């Protein structure tokens, strides 16, 4: 592993970042969150690269050369999220140096990497190269123009950890919209939302509710509406959306959905941490009640970017 002194970019050039991606939106969102946080601190020369196959990564590691990457500037940081990126990150580091940063609990020993950003629900072992995070990183920033008169529902669907109850979800949505009649609510679904649930939600006939199916939303739609909404309700299965809403600084409530096995999953453990520390409230509590959201916005991407810059003694041309 390289020492801190091995990597101090000169002041007259940007910080070179190689970002390996596996094509999964959730993983790409994590590395994007860190990249954007770094870019708010320093000038970046970013190269987003598809993760190599296992054979390709192994060959790159063995040969210490990949002709497709030879023309790139040597990296200062090499990022990856998702198990498929691990070998690519290590091979790139062996061939071109730089600091390796993995945004998850890796399948390989954490000692293989210079830094691992691991959510606390994965119970990371204390180590100098491990930074424990509250949830996963994301590219959301704290909202500055959110309105009390706007609210948002983010509806998920059944998953490996949760079953589904369409009737209960629809009843909760209708009840909350009726109680907060002064708020204009927007609701969107996800690719996991059952068709029957989406149709039932469309049939809720209330003047202050607008239903926008996920098929009618585009890239950035959720981030745009998070930036506008003071109150956000999220179904409990959509843990990444919960953390995005908290990062935006919204008051966040959870719509319950039946768990497949109580207390058995990392997702449930993550949500339980948020409950215990009062980051969220559970339906039917009101988001307008005193103390419903007494914490400042989460800012994990910014915190981790600052720690990485400090830990690796990185300097570059500051904006």
């Amino acid at each position: 592993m390289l020492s801190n002194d091995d990597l101090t970019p000169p002041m007259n050039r940007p910080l070179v970042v190689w970002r390996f991606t596996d094509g999964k939106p959730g993983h790409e969102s994590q590395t994007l969150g860190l990249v954007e946080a770094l870019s708010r601190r320093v000038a970046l020369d970013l190269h987003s690269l598809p993760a190599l196959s296992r054979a390709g990564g192994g060959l790159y590691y063995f040969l210490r050369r990949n002709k497709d990457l030879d023309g790139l500037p040597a990296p200062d940081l090499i990022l990856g999220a998702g198990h498929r990126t691990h070998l690519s990150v290590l091979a790139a580091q062996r061939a071109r140096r730089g600091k390796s940063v993995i945004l998850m609990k890796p399948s390989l020993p954490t000692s293989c990497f210079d830094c691992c950003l691991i959510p606390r629900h994965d119970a990371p072992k204390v180590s100098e190269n491990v930074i424990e995070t509250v949830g996963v990183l994301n590219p959301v920033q704290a909202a500055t123009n959110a309105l009390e008169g706007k609210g948002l529902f983010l509806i998920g669907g059944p998953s490996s950890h949760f079953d589904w109850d369409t009737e209960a979800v629809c009843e909760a949505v209708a009840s909350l919209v009726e109680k907060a009649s002064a708020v204009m609510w927007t609701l969107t679904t996800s690719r996991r939302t059952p068709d029957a649930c989406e149709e039932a939600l469309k049939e809720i006939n209330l003047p202050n509710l607008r239903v926008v199916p996920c098929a009618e939303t585009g890239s950035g739609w959720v981030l745009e509406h998070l930036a506008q909404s003071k109150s956000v309700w999220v179904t409990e299965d959509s843990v990444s959306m919960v953390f995005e809403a908290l990062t935006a600084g919204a008051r966040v409530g959870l719509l319950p959905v039946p768990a497949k096995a109580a207390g058995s999953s990392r997702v449930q453990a993550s949500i339980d941490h948020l409950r215990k520390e009062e980051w969220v409230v559970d339906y039917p509590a009101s988001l307008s009640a005193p103390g419903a959201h007494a914490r400042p916005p989460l800012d994990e991407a910014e915190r981790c970017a600052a720690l990485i810059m400090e830990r690796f003694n990185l300097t570059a041309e500051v904006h």
Side-chain angles (χ1 to χ4, degrees):
M1 191 176 296
L2 303 177
S3 71
N4 286 352
D5 293 336
D6 291 328
L7 185 62
T8 304
M11 292 297 291
N12 61 350
R13 72 164 176 85
L15 193 73
V16 179
V17 177
W18 288 15
R19 172 189 176 229
F20 283 99
T21 63
D22 63 2
K24 294 185 177 181
H27 294 155
E28 294 194 12
S29 177
Q30 292 177 51
T31 53
L32 180 62
L34 180 58
V35 163
E36 290 187 351
L38 287 168
S39 72
R40 289 188 285 272
R41 294 174 171 274
V42 298
L44 294 188
D45 180 10
L46 173 66
H47 301 270
S48 293
L49 309 165
L52 303 172
S53 66
R54 181 174 296 182
L59 185 63
Y60 184 20
Y61 188 88
F62 177 74
L63 296 176
R64 297 193 182 191
R65 183 173 184 185
N66 183 319
K67 63 180 182 180
D68 294 329
L69 304 179
D70 279 351
L72 298 180
D76 300 311
L77 290 176
I78 309 169
L79 312 180
H83 295 295
R84 279 191 55 222
T85 67
H86 293 177
L87 190 53
S88 297
V89 168
L90 290 176
Q93 181 179 38
R94 188 165 191 253
R96 303 292 298 277
R97 298 171 67 84
K99 294 293 187 180
S100 55
V101 180
I102 293 294
L103 286 76
M104 63 182 299
K105 186 175 184 178
S107 49
L108 298 171
T110 57
S111 58
C112 293
F113 304 96
D114 291 301
C115 183
C116 298
L117 310 181
I118 304 178
R120 65 180 177 183
H121 59 254
D122 285 332
K125 293 182 179 179
V126 176
S127 174
E128 287 187 1
N129 68 326
V130 171
I131 297 175
E132 184 178 283
T133 65
V134 181
V136 296
L137 274 60
N138 60 68
V140 176
Q141 290 186 265
T144 56
N145 298 307
L147 303 174
E148 288 288 352
K150 285 194 175 184
L152 184 64
F153 286 95
L154 300 172
I155 308 298
S159 68
S160 57
H161 304 295
F162 291 92
D163 288 316
W164 198 252
D165 187 335
T166 290
E167 183 177 357
V169 168
C170 291
E171 286 181 356
V173 169
S175 173
L176 290 165
V177 172
E178 285 184 316
K179 288 179 181 177
S181 58
V183 177
M184 183 61 210
W185 295 94
T186 301
L187 179 150
T188 193
T189 55
S190 76
R191 288 173 294 179
R192 291 185 290 109
T193 307
D195 291 342
C197 182
E198 188 170 285
E199 291 304 314
L201 289 165
K202 290 179 184 178
E203 292 174 4
I204 298 175
N205 187 22
L206 292 169
N208 59 324
L209 174 65
R210 180 173 68 110
V211 176
V212 183
C214 68
E216 298 176 14
T217 65
S219 175
W221 188 97
V222 170
L223 298 188
E224 177 186 341
H225 284 74
L226 282 175
Q228 299 171 1
S229 305
K230 280 285 189 181
S231 298
V232 180
W233 287 94
V234 189
T235 52
E236 193 172 334
D237 60 286
S238 300
V239 65
S240 61
M241 292 294 187
V242 171
F243 283 107
E244 288 182 1
L246 289 172
T247 304
R251 296 185 293 263
V252 180
L254 299 178
L255 300 175
V257 292
K260 288 187 174 178
S264 64
S265 77
R266 294 175 300 150
V267 172
Q268 291 163 324
S270 180
I271 291 294
D272 286 341
H273 276 299
L274 296 178
R275 285 193 177 102
K276 183 178 180 181
E277 296 179 6
E278 299 182 342
W279 283 96
V280 297
V281 300
D282 283 294
Y283 173 79
S286 170
L287 288 179
S288 61
H293 187 70
R295 288 179 172 271
L298 275 178
D299 208 2
E300 290 297 87
E302 291 290 343
R303 182 177 71 88
C304 291
L307 288 173
I308 287 170
M309 295 290 293
E310 178 182 3
R311 182 165 300 192
F312 296 148
N313 205 20
L314 297 172
T315 59
E317 183 180 338
V318 179
H319 291 311

Coordinates of all heavy atoms in Angstrom, one line a residue, residues 64-99:
R64 N 0.3 -5.9 -15.8 CA 0.5 -4.5 -15.4 C 0.3 -3.5 -16.6 O 0.9 -2.5 -16.7 CB 1.8 -4.3 -14.8 CG 2.0 -5.0 -13.5 CD 3.2 -4.5 -12.7 NE 3.4 -5.3 -11.5 CZ 4.3 -4.9 -10.5 NH1 5.0 -3.8 -10.7 NH2 4.4 -5.7 -9.5
R65 N -0.5 -4.0 -17.6 CA -0.7 -3.1 -18.8 C -2.0 -3.4 -19.4 O -2.4 -4.6 -19.5 CB 0.5 -3.3 -19.8 CG 0.3 -2.3 -21.0 CD 1.5 -2.4 -21.9 NE 1.4 -1.4 -22.9 CZ 2.2 -1.3 -23.9 NH1 3.3 -2.0 -24.0 NH2 2.0 -0.3 -24.9
N66 N -2.7 -2.4 -19.9 CA -3.9 -2.5 -20.7 C -3.9 -1.4 -21.7 O -3.9 -0.2 -21.4 CB -5.2 -2.3 -19.8 CG -6.5 -2.5 -20.5 OD1 -6.6 -2.1 -21.7 ND2 -7.4 -3.2 -19.9
K67 N -3.7 -1.9 -23.0 CA -3.5 -0.9 -24.1 C -4.7 0.1 -24.2 O -4.4 1.2 -24.6 CB -3.3 -1.6 -25.4 CG -4.6 -2.4 -25.9 CD -4.3 -3.1 -27.2 CE -5.5 -3.9 -27.7 NZ -5.3 -4.5 -29.0
D68 N -5.9 -0.3 -23.8 CA -7.0 0.6 -23.8 C -6.9 1.8 -22.8 O -7.6 2.8 -22.9 CB -8.3 -0.1 -23.6 CG -8.6 -1.1 -24.8 OD1 -8.2 -0.8 -25.9 OD2 -9.2 -2.1 -24.5
L69 N -6.1 1.5 -21.8 CA -6.0 2.5 -20.7 C -4.6 3.2 -20.7 O -4.4 4.1 -19.9 CB -6.2 1.9 -19.3 CG -7.6 1.1 -19.2 CD1 -7.7 0.5 -17.8 CD2 -8.7 2.1 -19.4
D70 N -3.7 2.7 -21.5 CA -2.4 3.3 -21.5 C -2.3 4.8 -21.8 O -1.4 5.5 -21.4 CB -1.5 2.5 -22.5 CG -1.0 1.2 -22.0 OD1 -1.2 1.0 -20.8 OD2 -0.4 0.4 -22.8
G71 N -3.3 5.2 -22.6 CA -3.2 6.6 -23.0 C -3.8 7.6 -22.0 O -3.7 8.8 -22.2
L72 N -4.4 7.1 -20.9 CA -4.9 8.0 -19.9 C -3.9 8.5 -19.0 O -2.9 7.8 -18.7 CB -6.0 7.2 -19.1 CG -7.2 6.6 -19.9 CD1 -8.1 5.9 -18.9 CD2 -8.0 7.8 -20.5
P73 N -4.1 9.7 -18.4 CA -3.1 10.2 -17.4 C -3.2 9.3 -16.2 O -4.2 8.7 -15.8 CB -3.7 11.6 -17.1 CG -5.1 11.6 -17.5 CD -5.2 10.6 -18.7
A74 N -2.0 9.1 -15.6 CA -1.9 8.3 -14.4 C -2.9 8.8 -13.3 O -3.0 10.0 -13.0 CB -0.5 8.3 -13.8
P75 N -3.6 7.9 -12.7 CA -4.7 8.3 -11.7 C -4.1 8.7 -10.4 O -3.1 8.1 -9.9 CB -5.5 7.1 -11.6 CG -4.6 5.9 -11.8 CD -3.6 6.4 -12.8
D76 N -4.7 9.7 -9.7 CA -4.4 9.9 -8.3 C -5.4 9.1 -7.4 O -5.0 8.6 -6.4 CB -4.6 11.4 -8.1 CG -3.7 12.3 -8.9 OD1 -2.5 12.0 -8.9 OD2 -4.1 13.2 -9.5
L77 N -6.6 9.0 -7.9 CA -7.6 8.2 -7.2 C -8.3 7.3 -8.1 O -8.5 7.6 -9.3 CB -8.7 9.1 -6.6 CG -8.4 10.0 -5.4 CD1 -9.6 10.9 -5.0 CD2 -7.9 9.2 -4.2
I78 N -8.5 6.0 -7.7 CA -9.2 5.0 -8.5 C -10.4 4.6 -7.7 O -10.2 4.0 -6.6 CB -8.3 3.8 -8.8 CG1 -7.0 4.3 -9.4 CG2 -9.0 2.9 -9.8 CD1 -5.9 3.2 -9.5
L79 N -11.6 4.8 -8.2 CA -12.8 4.5 -7.5 C -13.6 3.4 -8.0 O -13.6 3.1 -9.2 CB -13.8 5.8 -7.5 CG -13.2 7.1 -7.2 CD1 -14.2 8.2 -7.3 CD2 -12.5 7.2 -5.8
G80 N -14.3 2.7 -7.2 CA -15.2 1.6 -7.6 C -16.3 1.3 -6.6 O -16.1 1.4 -5.4
A81 N -17.4 0.9 -7.1 CA -18.5 0.5 -6.3 C -19.2 -0.7 -7.0 O -19.5 -0.6 -8.2 CB -19.6 1.6 -6.0
G82 N -19.4 -1.8 -6.3 CA -19.9 -3.0 -6.9 C -18.8 -4.0 -7.0 O -17.6 -3.7 -7.3
H83 N -19.1 -5.3 -6.7 CA -18.0 -6.3 -6.6 C -17.3 -6.5 -8.0 O -16.1 -6.8 -8.0 CB -18.7 -7.7 -6.2 CG -19.2 -7.7 -4.8 ND1 -18.5 -7.5 -3.7 CD2 -20.5 -7.8 -4.4 CE1 -19.2 -7.5 -2.6 NE2 -20.5 -7.7 -3.0
R84 N -18.0 -6.2 -9.1 CA -17.3 -6.4 -10.4 C -16.2 -5.4 -10.6 O -15.4 -5.6 -11.5 CB -18.3 -6.2 -11.5 CG -19.2 -7.5 -11.8 CD -20.0 -7.3 -13.1 NE -19.1 -7.0 -14.2 CZ -19.4 -6.1 -15.1 NH1 -20.5 -5.4 -15.0 NH2 -18.6 -5.8 -16.1
T85 N -16.2 -4.3 -9.9 CA -15.2 -3.3 -10.1 C -13.9 -3.6 -9.3 O -12.9 -2.9 -9.6 CB -15.7 -1.9 -9.6 OG1 -15.9 -1.8 -8.2 CG2 -17.0 -1.6 -10.4
H86 N -13.9 -4.5 -8.3 CA -12.8 -4.6 -7.4 C -11.5 -5.0 -8.1 O -10.4 -4.4 -7.9 CB -13.1 -5.7 -6.4 CG -14.2 -5.3 -5.4 ND1 -14.6 -6.2 -4.4 CD2 -14.9 -4.2 -5.3 CE1 -15.6 -5.5 -3.8 NE2 -15.8 -4.3 -4.3
L87 N -11.5 -6.0 -9.0 CA -10.3 -6.4 -9.7 C -9.8 -5.3 -10.6 O -8.6 -5.1 -10.8 CB -10.5 -7.7 -10.4 CG -9.3 -8.4 -11.0 CD1 -8.2 -8.6 -9.9 CD2 -9.7 -9.8 -11.6
S88 N -10.7 -4.6 -11.3 CA -10.3 -3.5 -12.2 C -9.6 -2.4 -11.4 O -8.6 -1.9 -11.9 CB -11.6 -2.9 -12.9 OG -12.2 -3.9 -13.7
V89 N -10.1 -2.1 -10.2 CA -9.5 -1.1 -9.4 C -8.0 -1.5 -9.0 O -7.1 -0.8 -9.1 CB -10.3 -0.8 -8.1 CG1 -9.6 0.0 -7.1 CG2 -11.6 -0.1 -8.5
L90 N -7.9 -2.8 -8.5 CA -6.6 -3.3 -8.1 C -5.6 -3.4 -9.2 O -4.4 -3.1 -9.1 CB -6.8 -4.6 -7.4 CG -7.5 -4.6 -6.0 CD1 -7.7 -6.0 -5.5 CD2 -6.7 -3.7 -5.0
A91 N -6.1 -3.8 -10.4 CA -5.2 -4.0 -11.5 C -4.7 -2.6 -12.0 O -3.6 -2.4 -12.3 CB -6.0 -4.7 -12.7
A92 N -5.6 -1.6 -12.0 CA -5.3 -0.3 -12.4 C -4.2 0.3 -11.4 O -3.3 1.0 -11.8 CB -6.5 0.6 -12.5
Q93 N -4.4 0.1 -10.2 CA -3.5 0.6 -9.2 C -2.1 -0.1 -9.3 O -1.1 0.6 -9.2 CB -4.0 0.3 -7.8 CG -3.1 0.9 -6.7 CD -3.6 0.7 -5.3 OE1 -4.2 -0.4 -5.0 NE2 -3.5 1.7 -4.4
R94 N -2.1 -1.4 -9.6 CA -0.8 -2.1 -9.7 C -0.1 -1.6 -10.9 O 1.2 -1.5 -10.9 CB -1.1 -3.6 -9.8 CG 0.2 -4.4 -9.8 CD -0.2 -5.9 -9.5 NE 1.0 -6.6 -9.2 CZ 1.6 -7.5 -10.0 NH1 1.0 -7.7 -11.2 NH2 2.7 -8.2 -9.7
A95 N -0.8 -1.3 -12.0 CA -0.2 -0.8 -13.2 C 0.2 0.6 -13.2 O 1.3 1.0 -13.7 CB -1.1 -1.1 -14.4
R96 N -0.7 1.5 -12.6 CA -0.5 2.9 -12.8 C -0.4 3.7 -11.5 O -0.4 4.9 -11.5 CB -1.7 3.5 -13.6 CG -1.8 2.8 -15.0 CD -0.7 3.2 -16.0 NE -0.6 4.6 -16.2 CZ -1.4 5.2 -17.2 NH1 -2.2 4.5 -17.9 NH2 -1.2 6.5 -17.4
R97 N -0.3 3.0 -10.4 CA -0.3 3.6 -9.0 C -1.6 4.3 -8.7 O -2.6 4.0 -9.3 CB 0.9 4.5 -8.9 CG 2.2 3.7 -9.0 CD 3.4 4.6 -9.1 NE 3.7 5.3 -7.8 CZ 4.3 4.8 -6.8 NH1 4.8 3.6 -6.8 NH2 4.5 5.5 -5.7
G98 N -1.6 5.3 -7.8 CA -2.8 6.0 -7.4 C -3.4 5.3 -6.2 O -3.0 4.2 -5.8
K99 N -4.4 5.9 -5.5 CA -5.0 5.4 -4.3 C -6.3 4.8 -4.7 O -7.1 5.3 -5.4 CB -5.3 6.6 -3.4 CG -4.0 7.2 -2.8 CD -3.2 6.3 -1.9 CE -2.1 7.0 -1.2 NZ -1.3 6.1 -0.3

